[in-house]
Amino acid sequence: MKSTNPATDEVIETYDDHTADDVDSILEDAVSASESWAETDITERQQLLENAGEILRDRQDEYAELMSREMGKPIDESYAELEKCAWVCDFYAERAGEFLSDRAIGSEPNAKTFVSYEPLGAVLAVMPWNFPFWQVFRFAAPHLTSGNVGLLKHASNVPGCALAIEEIFREAGYPEGVFSTLLVGSDTIEDVVRDDRLDAVTLTGSEGAGRAIAEQAGSELKKHVLELGGSDPFVVLEDADLDAAAETAATARTINSGQSCIAAKRFIVADEVFDEFLERFVSEMEGLEIGDPLESGTEIGPQAREDLMEGVHEQVEASVEAGASLECGGEPLDRDGWYYPPTVLAEPPMDSPAAEEEVFGPAAAVFRVADEEEAIELANDSHYGLGGSIWTADLDRGERIAREIEAGCVFVNELVKSDPRLPFGGVKASGYGRELAREGIHEFVNRKTIWVQSAGESDDVPQTE
């Protein structure tokens, strides 16, 4: 397993894959740790999570450079990602006890009835390369603290990040086996999912990977959560603040050099302001600083792999051939590394890749619509449903339209983002289940109903299923 710098195409380090015996041993350690970890007092689990957050902040320079070298993230974004990871540790260190406390439910006068939240056991997290620390911590922070043990199968191009995260939990004081990394390829995961020692699975990744995991986990009747791709609409209505919309649009499309599931990808603009928005948007995109991801101030780094850059370029070329107007960008940069420039395609045909597919790179498609009704229709004309953004001066109007957008989260006058305090996830082909907030920590627990009846005082209740 190789770690390669996408800005230079140089191999950083080579790692030995785990063998079948290694995987078996790791699973056995997880099972061995599971029972005692589930019985560990919640306050102790919260303290260990707080320790992990402190390590993230103490070693942010080391981890930020690791991320930027291994997958090309601009260094300023790497620091921001680490701070967000520390934040999610802080959040659950403070709130997990509240979220997992018994919930009383009224029933009969002489009975105590409540819901108890109990861990499921060993949970496998199959995580992507694009946010190599954040995706893992938003899984681990709630679910380790709820008493589960975690197994991480990270993307094969970020093994250094995977091992660094494992070390963070070890140094924070987590017992052996509570969090472990599996350095294996995707072909091994099917066997892991089928293993009786595994209780649940979560995946963040492509639609294809999600379908495979869902099929495997479903056949084993194992709980699973999927956060998959997206083709998020960014709707600009005629009364929007165009300066703010255009500036935010460029950020929303190019965060992580465009490699984000919740990046804005389809820009749906009212005809009345289409030309003005397009001009400002192109100007913002052209003004972004492309450079070495290790240099502060770089806004666009390389794509994480050469094949990913080539894939984006193929989608752009096919969309232009279909009739889209190329407003800027559109060609890989002539420099070392896998760089693709900020690119804007105006009015691509509806059967072009820019309209039909998820474009996982810094290429934006801008569509013209006649009115609000057509904007909503086009926003929902996608088999994805992860996020959406609405821009309007009328907040009541924005809220009303947000309710009509088919997505897991919709923001008005703001870009789509995940936040530890808010549940996050999609609908349609963008997956199911939720991460973060109270809803997220409840995904991998047994929400057990308990009825405690006073002896000899049971009322007559219909005995039905």
Side-chain angles (χ1 to χ4, degrees):
M1 192 173 289
K2 292 182 179 179
S3 173
T4 303
N5 187 334
T8 63
D9 197 18
E10 295 175 347
V11 175
I12 302 168
E13 193 166 346
T14 301
Y15 301 84
D16 291 331
D17 289 8
H18 283 140
T19 65
D21 286 343
D22 292 333
V23 171
D24 183 73
S25 178
I26 291 169
L27 279 165
E28 198 58 40
D29 286 345
V31 171
S32 297
S34 182
E35 184 175 349
S36 60
W37 180 244
E39 293 174 353
T40 300
D41 190 87
I42 182 67
T43 58
E44 182 176 342
R45 298 199 296 257
Q46 288 173 289
Q47 181 58 60
L48 294 178
L49 185 61
E50 186 177 324
N51 295 349
E54 291 174 357
I55 292 171
L56 282 163
R57 291 189 172 101
D58 289 343
R59 300 186 185 174
Q60 60 178 338
D61 293 343
E62 173 189 343
Y63 298 141
E65 182 173 334
L66 173 61
M67 268 194 281
S68 294
R69 286 191 184 279
E70 203 160 47
M71 55 73 56
K73 187 186 296 292
I75 191 74
D76 294 339
E77 293 189 27
S78 293
Y79 278 109
E81 180 169 337
L82 290 166
E83 178 54 38
K84 195 168 185 178
C85 292
W87 179 22
V88 80
C89 290
D90 295 343
F91 178 76
Y92 282 107
E94 179 184 353
R95 304 294 297 278
E98 170 194 340
F99 295 156
L100 297 169
S101 61
D102 294 344
R103 180 168 66 91
I105 301 175
S107 57
E108 299 297 320
N110 301 311
K112 177 183 179 181
T113 49
F114 61 96
V115 175
S116 174
Y117 301 98
E118 302 173 6
L120 295 182
V123 184
L124 171 67
V126 183
M127 293 289 110
W129 47 264
N130 56 338
F131 292 89
F133 271 66
W134 168 242
Q135 304 282 13
V136 177
F137 273 90
R138 81 180 189 192
F139 152 74
H143 301 307
L144 297 188
T145 312
S146 67
N148 294 297
V149 299
L151 298 149
L152 169 64
K153 189 286 178 202
H154 218 325
S156 59
N157 61 326
V158 290
C161 290
L163 292 172
I165 294 168
E166 183 182 60
E167 183 66 19
I168 288 169
F169 285 113
R170 183 178 297 113
E171 293 197 15
Y174 284 77
E176 190 71 26
V178 171
F179 183 89
S180 304
T181 283
L182 299 171
L183 290 183
V184 296
S186 299
D187 55 342
T188 304
I189 291 305
E190 183 174 350
D191 291 337
V192 176
V193 173
R194 287 178 176 166
D195 195 294
D196 289 341
R197 291 169 291 186
L198 189 79
D199 298 289
V201 189
T202 182
L203 175 138
T204 298
S206 68
E207 180 184 343
R211 290 182 184 277
I213 286 291
E215 182 177 358
Q216 294 160 17
S219 69
E220 299 297 325
L221 297 180
K222 293 181 179 179
K223 176 66 186 290
H224 56 282
V225 169
L226 304 176
E227 194 266 280
L228 308 179
S231 188
D232 287 7
F234 188 103
V235 178
V236 182
L237 300 172
E238 73 284 348
D239 62 345
D241 179 335
L242 296 185
D243 285 333
E247 181 179 357
T248 304
T251 300
R253 173 60 282 204
T254 62
I255 188 170
N256 200 31
S257 304
Q259 301 166 119
S260 171
C261 295
I262 54 172
K265 299 185 176 93
R266 296 178 297 134
F267 296 82
I268 299 167
V269 185
D271 177 67
E272 193 174 321
V273 294
F274 180 89
D275 293 333
E276 188 176 355
F277 173 81
L278 180 61
E279 180 180 356
R280 297 184 192 196
F281 182 41
V282 170
S283 177
E284 292 286 348
M285 292 283 275
E286 289 180 325
L288 294 170
E289 184 69 27
I290 303 170
D292 184 344
L294 291 173
E295 292 184 2
S296 182
T298 293
E299 296 171 294
I300 303 292
Q303 301 297 280
R305 298 196 311 263
E306 185 176 15
D307 63 304
L308 297 171
M309 180 193 72
E310 291 172 346
V312 171
H313 186 48
E314 289 172 4
Q315 290 174 305
V316 169
E317 285 190 311
S319 298
V320 172
E321 289 174 6
S325 171
L326 181 63
E327 301 294 324
C328 67
E331 288 289 341
L333 298 181
D334 184 16
R335 60 181 294 167
D336 290 339
W338 307 320
Y339 285 85
Y340 203 80
T343 297
V344 176
L345 301 169
E347 302 190 77
M350 295 310 299
D351 59 353
S352 67
E356 288 190 328
E357 302 172 4
E358 178 180 25
V359 180
F360 211 68
V366 188
F367 300 86
R368 186 193 302 264
V369 292
D371 52 28
E372 174 188 305
E373 182 178 355
E374 187 179 350
I376 296 170
E377 181 180 354
L378 182 54
N380 290 336
D381 187 18
S382 171
H383 71 294
Y384 291 111
L386 192 52
S389 184
I390 311 296
W391 289 77
T392 174
D394 186 338
L395 299 186
D396 290 336
R397 181 191 192 191
E399 182 177 332
R400 173 176 53 78
I401 294 172
R403 293 178 183 276
E404 297 186 52
I405 300 299
E406 297 167 356
C409 55
V410 182
F411 290 67
V412 178
N413 297 330
E414 178 61 282
L415 54 77
V416 177
K417 54 190 174 182
S418 58
D419 183 312
R421 299 165 296 187
L422 304 174
F424 177 80
V427 296
K428 301 195 285 189
S430 290
Y432 43 76
R434 290 295 178 265
E435 298 177 280
L436 302 175
R438 182 189 299 270
E439 290 81 354
I441 201 171
H442 286 171
E443 286 288 2
F444 293 121
V445 294
N446 174 17
R447 288 166 276 192
K448 180 189 290 184
T449 298
I450 296 179
W451 181 302
V452 181
Q453 183 70 45
S454 298
E457 297 184 0
S458 178
D459 291 335
D460 291 332
V461 178
Q463 301 301 307
T464 58
E465 184 177 3

